[in-house]
Amino acid sequence: MGSLSSFSPRRRSLALGGLAALVGAPAWSQRTPVKVRFQCDWRFEAGTIPYVVALRKGYFADEGLDVTLNVGAGASATVTRLASGNFDMGTGDMNSLAEFAGNNGLVPAKAVMLMYESTPAAIFSLRKTGISKPADLRGRTLAAPANDGARRIFPAFALANGLDPANDVAWTSVDPAMRETMLARGQAEVISGYMASGWVSLQRLGVDPKDIAVMKYAEHGVKLPGNAILARPGFIDEQPEAVAAFLRAVTRGLKDAHTDRAGAVAVLKGHEPLVDTRIEAMRLGVVLDGEIATPTVRRQGIGDIDLARYQEGIDALAKFLSFKTTPDAATLVDTRFLPPLAQRKVFSA
């Protein structure tokens, strides 16, 4: 099979459709496996389970792929790492992707499969501080890593709730591994982060969930997407079949994680022995039930991207983050490689 990038648009579309419809290992996978350097957005925790399952259960190998999973430093950092050319694909924040493109005049990666329909970003505090609504953040100092996705898009949360993001709050940069610990110990009064990280990690540290105050961005007027599987444009052009194969394998991994959650956590434990299975089971529930399996995904399947909605979010980001230029959403998205709808309907409607 020749490279899909050498086909006419119609032939390329037909070829991709044929690729997606195949069951089991495609013929091209009998060649030397294609190496895929994949950048995770975070540590090997529940959020990475679909990829870990696909690796450990041989789904990538079935598709003719030799995948290396790399620990991440945040969904925003994935974008810059893909831009460096050191990775081929990764899980990254779609808002950070737009910001990079808007400020650098180039497309470092394209979103090929949406994982979180809405941003999982949130603000966390302890109820004893009296912080329960956005207005309570005035005069407070928030702690987060410098490249934290929730911190980067905080202006969207602020402006949607009558706050001045530049003057009403202050920020202090902290190590990702210490963020929740500092809040639990009273060394920070407010933190930003993703639900699967902040909500679960605070409980792992012994904080009673009744004592945690949470403000989810998506429930406070922020209509931005979250993480997607991204691929470098060069890798898409050179290995289009591999991109489609990767998404098929991950979709299988996601289905396994949904249908056998205890088994999926056990696979994670085999990959990263230091994880706490009780905590990761809890975290997996947050990821699957609270972030991925939205009503839209239950009806329409995982992965597709609403370009109009994404453009609306980009336009808002460009305004309050002062992008040099405003990217066209269509230039940042390429969903030709998604598996067939029947395969993507992982969750019951």
Side-chain angles (χ1 to χ4, degrees):
M1 177 180 292
S3 169
L4 290 179
S5 61
S6 66
F7 291 179
S8 67
R10 175 173 173 74
R11 290 184 66 200
R12 182 162 57 244
S13 176
L14 291 171
L16 281 168
L19 279 170
L22 290 176
V23 177
W28 71 274
S29 71
Q30 304 307 312
R31 305 184 202 167
T32 302
V34 176
K35 293 186 180 296
V36 181
R37 301 165 299 174
F38 189 82
Q39 177 63 67
C40 297
D41 62 327
W42 197 232
R43 297 183 292 256
F44 291 126
E45 295 180 343
T48 61
I49 277 181
Y51 313 102
V52 172
V53 167
L55 178 68
R56 303 281 294 193
K57 296 183 77 169
Y59 298 162
F60 289 135
D62 289 347
E63 294 284 359
L65 304 178
D66 177 8
V67 176
T68 302
L69 301 179
N70 297 275
V71 172
S76 177
T78 295
V79 175
T80 57
R81 292 183 178 183
L82 285 170
S84 73
N86 293 326
F87 297 93
D88 305 306
M89 301 180 70
T91 308
D93 175 47
M94 290 189 67
N95 306 301
S96 299
L97 174 63
E99 182 180 12
F100 188 99
N103 288 331
N104 293 279
L106 59 88
V107 176
K110 295 199 175 191
V112 294
M113 183 176 189
L114 184 63
M115 299 302 285
Y116 296 160
E117 179 187 357
S118 297
T119 176
I123 298 296
F124 302 90
S125 60
L126 300 184
R127 292 194 182 280
K128 63 184 180 182
T129 64
I131 299 172
S132 61
K133 58 186 182 298
D136 297 331
L137 295 175
R138 286 193 176 91
R140 306 282 186 166
T141 297
L142 288 73
N147 62 358
D148 176 58
R151 176 174 176 174
R152 290 299 303 153
I153 63 171
F154 176 78
F157 175 89
L159 295 174
N161 293 281
L163 297 173
D164 181 341
N167 298 308
D168 282 345
V169 303
W171 288 90
T172 183
S173 296
V174 300
D175 183 90
M178 291 300 296
R179 170 175 41 194
E180 289 82 12
T181 299
M182 292 180 67
L183 182 63
R185 292 177 177 175
Q187 297 168 328
E189 54 185 356
V190 191
I191 61 174
S192 69
Y194 282 1
M195 282 299 298
S197 176
W199 175 251
V200 178
S201 294
L202 285 169
Q203 294 179 62
R204 178 177 58 82
L205 293 167
V207 181
D208 191 310
K210 297 192 299 295
D211 296 332
I212 305 171
V214 182
M215 289 181 274
K216 297 181 181 179
Y217 285 23
E219 296 178 355
H220 286 79
V222 179
K223 298 179 180 180
L224 294 174
N227 289 0
I229 296 177
L230 310 178
R232 285 191 301 105
F235 189 71
I236 291 174
D237 291 341
E238 296 162 8
Q239 299 287 352
E241 300 99 332
V243 176
F246 187 95
L247 299 186
R248 287 194 297 269
V250 169
T251 302
R252 288 180 70 187
L254 178 62
K255 185 173 183 178
D256 282 6
H258 172 56
T259 57
D260 181 9
R261 300 190 180 192
V265 172
V267 171
L268 176 66
K269 180 73 171 179
H271 189 74
E272 177 51 82
L274 296 179
V275 301
D276 182 323
T277 55
R278 181 184 68 85
I279 292 298
E280 295 313 316
M282 183 189 306
R283 200 188 310 274
L284 183 60
V286 173
V287 170
L288 294 179
D289 301 329
E291 309 298 347
I292 297 181
T294 65
T296 299
V297 168
R298 290 182 180 277
R299 291 193 309 270
Q300 301 177 9
I302 185 75
D304 208 358
I305 298 171
D306 184 333
L307 283 179
R309 180 173 179 263
Y310 187 29
Q311 188 65 61
E312 182 180 354
I314 289 174
D315 293 343
L317 287 168
K319 182 176 181 179
F320 60 70
L321 290 182
S322 301
F323 291 2
K324 293 179 181 178
T325 60
T326 301
D328 180 349
T331 67
L332 304 178
V333 172
D334 190 346
T335 54
R336 295 174 297 155
F337 309 97
L338 288 173
L341 179 59
Q343 293 180 24
R344 292 189 286 115
K345 295 196 80 169
V346 173
F347 306 93
S348 58

